[in-house]
Amino acid sequence: MKTCIYNGILMDGIHKTQPGGLIIEDGRIQSITTDTKSLPSCDIMLDAKGQYICPGLIDTHTHGIGGYDFNDIAKLSLREVAKQEAKEGVTGFLASLVCETHEDMKQLLTYYEEQEVDGFFGIHLEGPYLNRQQKAVMKEECLRDPMLEEFKEYLHISSKIKSMTIAPELPDAMELIRYGTAHGVVMMLGHSAGTAQDVLAAEKAGAKGITHLYNAMSQHAHRAPGIVTGAVLSKLMCELIVDGVHVHPDIVQATYKMIGAERIVLISDANPCKQLPKGEYLFSGKHVLVDKDKAIVKESGRIAGSTLRLCDALRNMCTYCGCQKETAIAMASAHPAALYGWKKGRLEVGYDADIMIMDEQFQVHQVLRQGIQIQ
C-alpha cells in the first residue's frame, strides 16, 4: 500500500526546509517530491494542509506516561503508552527503568524481552551502578558498584537493552563501559560525582553520551571541574530536559552556545504521572506531588522527573535559544536516531516512515508510525 503526504513543508533539520511531500511504501520513505502540482496516484492521499512534515520525535529517556510506570509491569500497557506518546508527536521511545534489586530487575527484563509493540524501541537502564551522592530519586538501597558478571546476566536475559547510565568514577566502571559498548549498548554517564577527567576517560572507553546534563551530577566549578565540565570538553552527546524547571532557560541558552546544536538530544525524563491531574502519586518508591508543570518528592521537595511533552520541548528550545524550528526538530529526532544507530529521524529515502505533522505553534495534528496513521 502506498501513501502520499502532500501539500506540506518538509522539515527535518538535516535537509533544506521546503514545500513538498513524501511517498511511503512498506513502512519506509520511497521518494520525496518538491513538485506541489503533479502528485502520483497512491492508495492513501494525506493532505498536510500547509503544515510542517517532520520526522516523528524519539524520546530516549522517559519513565512512563498517564499513570503507566515502566517499573510497574503489573499495571503496564505499552500499547497505551505508545498511543499517549503519539499525541505529542513521539513515534518511538525507550522505557527508562529506575534501579531495583537484582532479582526484581531480572523479572522486568524478562517481561520486556517478550514485548513487541510498535513505538517501543527498547530499554534504558538508569543504573544500578550510580553514585549514592547523586542518587536523585533513585532507591539508595538498590545502588551498587559495577559488577560485570551481573551486567552480563542482564544482557543474556534481554536483547532489548539499548542504553545504560553509569557513574564513571565507580570501581570497575571503565571495564563495564568497554564491555557494554562492545555489545552494542549505548553507555551514558550520569548520577555521578566524578571529575571532568572521568568523563574523558569514559569517552575513550566507548561512552557515547551524558544523561540529563546538569541534573544529578558534579557541576562546572572553576576549581573542581566535574561531569558538566567533562561534557563540555568531550564530544559526547548530551541529553537536555528543556522544561524550564530542570535547567534554567539561561543555562539552556549557554549550553546551546557552548556545545552546539549537533550534540544536544532533547528528552522528557518524564515520570509516570505525566498527563495525570494534580495530585499525589508513587514513583520510584517515593510520594510525588504533581502540580501544573512540575513534580516534586513530597518528603524532600526535590524534582522527581518532568511532566514535559516533547513537542513542548521544541517550542521551549526555540524560545530560550532563538534557534530555528528545524534545529530543534533534529535534536529530538535525527540526533537520538544517530546516537542509537536507528534508520529514523530523517526525511530521506529508505528511512522509516515515522512522521509527525505539526503547525507553527508546535501543535501535533497527524502522526504516522511505519507509514500507518495513528494520530
Side-chain angles (χ1 to χ4, degrees):
M1 179 176 289
K2 277 189 179 182
T3 298
C4 175
I5 306 176
Y6 66 99
N7 187 28
I9 301 171
L10 300 169
M11 183 171 71
D12 67 358
I14 304 298
H15 303 93
K16 180 182 177 182
T17 298
Q18 58 184 331
L22 304 173
I23 310 301
I24 299 168
E25 189 171 20
D26 296 328
R28 290 187 171 87
I29 299 173
Q30 184 191 67
S31 62
I32 298 170
T33 177
T34 55
D35 184 351
T36 57
K37 296 181 179 179
S38 178
L39 295 173
S41 176
C42 292
D43 301 291
I44 298 174
M45 302 295 289
L46 189 58
D47 187 354
K49 301 178 181 179
Q51 296 167 345
Y52 296 106
I53 303 170
C54 311
L57 307 183
I58 303 172
D59 197 349
T60 53
H61 189 155
T62 176
H63 296 277
I65 189 173
Y68 294 108
D69 185 333
F70 292 138
N71 278 66
D72 186 2
I73 56 177
K75 302 176 183 177
L76 179 63
S77 168
L78 282 175
R79 285 184 174 81
E80 286 302 316
V81 169
K83 287 180 183 178
Q84 293 198 38
E85 292 285 353
K87 293 177 182 178
E88 58 191 71
V90 173
T91 52
F93 59 90
L94 292 182
S96 291
L97 303 181
V98 295
C99 304
E100 300 286 0
T101 65
H102 182 53
E103 292 303 316
D104 285 347
M105 184 56 70
K106 288 196 297 182
Q107 290 183 14
L108 286 172
L109 294 177
T110 300
Y111 166 82
Y112 281 107
E113 187 63 13
E114 300 171 353
Q115 303 306 305
E116 297 296 338
V117 174
D118 289 341
F120 167 56
F121 289 177
I123 295 166
H124 160 224
L125 291 177
E126 195 166 3
Y129 313 130
L130 309 176
N131 195 313
R132 287 178 173 82
Q133 296 176 38
Q134 297 287 352
K135 65 180 183 295
V137 297
M138 297 294 170
K139 300 172 184 175
E140 186 168 357
E141 66 272 19
C142 295
L143 302 181
R144 49 199 182 269
D145 287 344
M147 291 186 277
L148 184 57
E149 291 307 312
E150 182 180 77
F151 182 51
K152 287 180 179 179
E153 190 173 359
Y154 289 162
L155 295 182
H156 178 74
I157 292 171
S158 177
S159 62
K160 301 287 178 67
I161 298 172
K162 304 303 179 184
S163 67
M164 170 181 255
T165 297
I166 185 171
E169 73 277 12
L170 296 180
D172 301 320
M174 295 302 160
E175 180 185 16
L176 198 138
I177 289 170
R178 283 190 287 269
Y179 187 88
T181 301
H183 287 78
V185 179
V186 174
M187 302 302 290
M188 306 287 289
L189 311 179
H191 289 273
S192 168
T195 68
Q197 291 305 310
D198 290 326
V199 173
L200 298 179
E203 183 178 26
K204 287 183 180 179
K208 295 294 189 294
I210 304 287
T211 296
H212 47 49
L213 183 63
Y214 299 109
N215 291 276
M217 65 184 60
S218 48
Q219 299 297 304
H220 181 56
H222 68 292
R223 292 195 184 95
I227 297 296
V228 173
T229 310
V232 175
L233 292 175
S234 74
K235 295 181 180 178
L236 299 177
M237 299 297 287
C238 297
E239 292 183 350
L240 208 55
I241 311 168
V242 187
D243 61 352
V245 177
H246 280 77
V247 185
H248 191 281
D250 289 348
I251 300 298
V252 173
Q253 184 181 15
T255 304
Y256 177 71
K257 290 184 176 180
M258 278 193 299
I259 71 173
E262 297 77 13
R263 288 175 54 202
I264 294 174
V265 173
L266 297 180
I267 60 166
S268 70
D269 191 17
N271 65 50
C273 319
K274 174 179 171 180
Q275 301 299 347
L276 293 182
K278 175 181 177 180
E280 181 176 327
Y281 303 95
L282 198 65
F283 172 49
S284 190
K286 296 173 177 61
H287 295 278
V288 173
L289 301 177
V290 175
D291 185 10
K292 296 182 180 178
D293 299 326
K294 190 174 182 179
I296 61 171
V297 177
K298 182 178 180 179
E299 293 80 8
S300 65
R302 72 165 301 132
I303 297 172
S306 87
T307 57
L308 176 70
R309 299 193 312 163
L310 208 55
C311 56
D312 292 334
L314 303 179
R315 179 192 301 107
N316 292 344
M317 196 72 201
C318 293
T319 300
Y320 299 165
C321 302
C323 64
Q324 299 298 310
K325 287 184 177 67
E326 49 263 52
T327 302
I329 285 287
M331 292 177 188
S333 55
H335 296 184
L339 176 61
Y340 285 87
W342 297 323
K343 206 166 185 181
K344 299 175 180 290
R346 294 173 179 239
L347 301 182
E348 196 164 314
V349 173
Y351 274 60
D352 288 349
D354 293 351
I355 307 296
M356 169 185 71
I357 299 176
M358 72 172 194
D359 62 26
E360 282 280 353
Q361 286 73 45
F362 300 92
Q363 294 300 311
V364 177
H365 291 265
Q366 298 181 74
V367 175
L368 294 86
R369 187 180 286 131
Q370 299 283 297
I372 298 173
Q373 191 170 1
I374 57 173
Q375 176 64 25

